[in-house]
Amino acid sequence: MLNGFFDLQVNGYAGVDFNQNDLKLDDLHSACSKLKEDNVAGILATIITDDLDRMKARLQRLVQLRDQDELIQEIIYGLHIEGPFINPKVGFRGAHSEDKIMPAQVEIMKQLLDAAQGLTRIVTLAPEVDDGYKVISMLAKTGITVSAGHSDASIDELQAAINEGLTMFTHLGNGCPMIMPRHDNIIQRALYLADKLWLCFIADGIHIVFPALHNYMRLAGYDKCIVVTDAMAGAGAVPGKYKIGDQELVVGQDRIVRKPGGTSLAGSAIDMRQCRHNLKHQLDLNEQQINQLTFTNPKKAINFLA
Ligand SMILES: [Zn+2]
């Protein structure tokens, strides 16, 4: 019997963008209600790179709205802060705004954590922009799961980050250029260290084609992998125009999320039920493996054992 799903990376759902400055209680409630209907037991609402004051205000708003509503408290277990300390190079930064990305700084990280009022469960950053791994070390000591993402860290940098408390890699296979050196690239490096890292994947068949996803998971082992949606507002909703923060996005009939006129992927429009369908029918996984990838492992990775 499945327990439902636990999704570590959700930017929005059912037409509601969690990165809106004026996110409304009713809208957040209805997104959580649709998540519950879709058998999602819990999520980390994800706030991505933007102007710092906006990021802080959005984190604060999510906390305030969550305080007011039992269903939101039940579904939004905590927050995932993705950025602004990521690799600014084209390809690695993905859809994150180049001019808002910055080197990691402990003081700024503390301000973001304060805004999230103890609800931060994961921070995604690029280890190579964290000088002396000070932010990683501070977060790990606070009990927050530190995840590498939008990163081109070398093996040595990843290993040093692991020594300071890095335990996860965010949407491996994405947040990197379409074309990279064939052997020495960030995907190979993360796979090489898979016994020390939880590896998160977007199982929509778009962000990673299924044969590659199958290879990655078999290599790392199903006990070290996690499936996330990285869903934006268009997940659990019809194709059309949506937003993430101030950015316009279009979900096509093909369920691919793009910036208008652009080609790079900007989050997914998949839901967890579709992920499960893909894991079962495209990767031929059994219920126990699917349960590990979509429920047990994500909770273990953030030390949520209840
Ligand atoms: Zn990302």
Side-chain angles (χ1 to χ4, degrees):
M1 179 58 197
L2 285 172
N3 299 299
F5 306 112
F6 200 92
D7 191 346
L8 297 179
Q9 194 170 3
V10 185
N11 309 285
Y13 204 75
V16 179
D17 171 26
F18 302 159
N19 283 261
Q20 285 304 298
N21 296 324
D22 59 350
L23 181 61
K24 306 275 190 302
L25 182 64
D26 285 354
D27 288 341
L28 189 58
H29 180 93
S30 76
C32 289
S33 168
K34 179 79 164 90
L35 281 159
K36 190 168 180 173
E37 195 184 306
D38 291 345
N39 207 22
V40 179
I43 66 160
L44 299 187
T46 304
I47 292 297
I48 68 161
T49 304
D50 206 324
D51 172 77
L52 269 182
D53 287 334
R54 282 194 193 154
M55 286 183 79
K56 286 188 255 177
R58 289 168 187 168
L59 290 164
Q60 265 163 359
R61 192 168 190 91
L62 279 169
V63 175
Q64 279 163 9
L65 297 179
R66 185 179 179 275
D67 280 348
Q68 296 170 44
D69 186 291
E70 270 181 33
L71 176 70
I72 299 175
Q73 281 168 41
E74 179 191 332
I75 299 297
I76 300 185
Y77 174 67
L79 304 174
H80 179 161
I81 304 176
E82 188 186 11
F85 310 140
I86 60 170
N87 191 313
K89 280 187 286 180
V90 67
F92 291 102
R93 69 174 180 262
H96 291 242
S97 305
E98 184 182 10
D99 58 336
K100 310 289 183 351
I101 294 168
M102 61 179 76
Q105 294 163 68
V106 170
E107 264 323 298
I108 291 175
M109 190 70 247
K110 282 185 176 164
Q111 290 171 25
L112 290 164
L113 296 183
D114 285 348
Q117 294 171 52
L119 281 180
T120 308
R121 308 291 180 211
I122 297 179
V123 171
T124 291
L125 51 72
E128 68 272 28
V129 305
D130 182 16
D131 186 34
Y133 310 102
K134 293 191 188 82
V135 171
I136 292 172
S137 163
M138 181 272 283
L139 289 168
K141 283 182 188 134
T142 318
I144 292 167
T145 299
V146 193
S147 190
H150 295 273
S151 166
D152 190 24
S154 65
I155 287 277
D156 288 349
E157 287 167 334
L158 283 172
Q159 187 59 65
I162 288 167
N163 293 344
E164 295 298 332
L166 184 83
T167 57
M168 184 186 277
F169 204 104
T170 295
H171 55 47
L172 185 62
N174 299 101
C176 60
M178 291 290 286
I179 301 200
M180 295 191 288
R182 60 186 169 183
H183 299 308
D184 183 11
N185 63 55
I186 191 63
I187 302 173
Q188 293 292 337
R189 291 174 215 141
L191 289 169
Y192 178 71
L193 295 166
D195 58 331
K196 296 168 183 158
L197 294 171
W198 294 100
L199 303 182
C200 302
F201 297 101
I202 305 170
D204 62 356
I206 296 164
H207 285 75
I208 309 174
V209 294
F210 291 121
L213 180 60
H214 202 180
N215 288 343
Y216 297 158
M217 286 189 172
R218 273 194 306 193
L219 182 65
Y222 299 102
D223 55 340
K224 289 304 293 179
C225 294
I226 289 171
V227 164
V228 301
T229 60
D230 196 11
M232 42 68 80
V238 295
K241 287 185 184 165
Y242 296 94
K243 287 187 121 183
I244 185 163
D246 303 323
Q247 296 185 50
E248 300 270 355
L249 299 175
V250 180
V251 178
Q253 292 294 338
D254 53 8
R255 305 299 295 164
I256 296 179
V257 186
R258 300 180 178 91
K259 292 186 187 182
T263 52
S264 79
L265 304 176
S268 92
I270 198 175
D271 59 44
M272 271 296 200
R273 288 196 294 201
Q274 186 61 44
C275 285
R276 175 167 68 194
H277 185 270
N278 292 341
L279 295 170
K280 185 169 179 165
H281 297 286
Q282 300 287 341
L283 272 65
D284 214 16
L285 302 188
N286 63 39
E287 290 292 308
Q288 190 257 335
Q289 290 166 321
I290 295 170
N291 192 46
Q292 258 187 315
L293 294 168
T294 61
F295 186 75
T296 324
N297 291 350
K299 290 176 79 173
K300 271 191 203 165
I302 57 168
N303 302 308
F304 175 28
L305 303 170

